[in-house]
Amino acid sequence: SLAFFLPVATFVFIHPSWKERDDVLAWLWPSLALAVIFCAVPLSVSRTLLCLQYMPGLRGTGFKVMDWNEDNEDYYKAQYLWSTEMKYHKSQFLYAMVPQAQNPEFLKP
């Protein structure tokens, strides 16, 4: 997990420039212990321990899966505002060689 890499990377990059190597090791072990605990404990328990479930801004917030008919059509509307150089399918050198019939400037859903 990424939680393990942060303390290890911090140690690897800081210890060569730190005068007292024992100071760096003194911070490495507790941070690794916290990383192990965080990875071993389920997220619901972690949220309770950190009191995150009681924060009003985080309660009941989930994510909504985009509906193809509603949200994704924004790109097809916005492409009319962009110049040809701003469109990847027209400016990228491999796509620029594709004939206009197969690579129209304005895409349709």
Side-chain angles (χ1 to χ4, degrees):
S1 173
L2 187 62
F4 294 115
F5 293 115
L6 183 61
V8 172
T10 303
F11 173 75
V12 168
F13 290 112
I14 289 181
H15 90 274
S17 62
W18 208 266
K19 187 176 183 179
E20 295 292 327
R21 187 174 179 154
D22 292 336
D23 290 345
V24 180
L25 284 172
W27 285 102
L28 173 68
W29 300 123
S31 61
L32 273 177
L34 283 173
V36 168
I37 291 169
F38 184 75
C39 289
V41 173
L43 285 178
S44 60
V45 175
S46 297
R47 281 188 220 114
T48 303
L49 292 174
L50 296 172
C51 299
L52 292 177
Q53 67 181 8
Y54 303 113
M55 296 184 89
L58 299 176
R59 180 176 282 172
T61 58
F63 62 91
K64 178 187 170 205
V65 177
M66 290 189 343
D67 185 17
W68 176 261
N69 296 329
E70 293 175 6
D71 301 328
N72 284 346
E73 289 185 12
D74 288 340
Y75 173 80
Y76 297 107
K77 293 176 186 173
Q79 69 179 338
Y80 291 97
L81 303 173
W82 302 330
S83 66
T84 305
E85 295 82 26
M86 295 174 70
K87 298 175 185 169
Y88 182 79
H89 70 282
K90 296 305 264 181
S91 63
Q92 206 271 348
F93 72 95
L94 289 175
Y95 289 122
M97 293 187 281
V98 177
Q100 179 67 22
Q102 294 176 330
N103 188 16
E105 182 172 355
F106 299 107
L107 302 175
K108 297 177 184 172

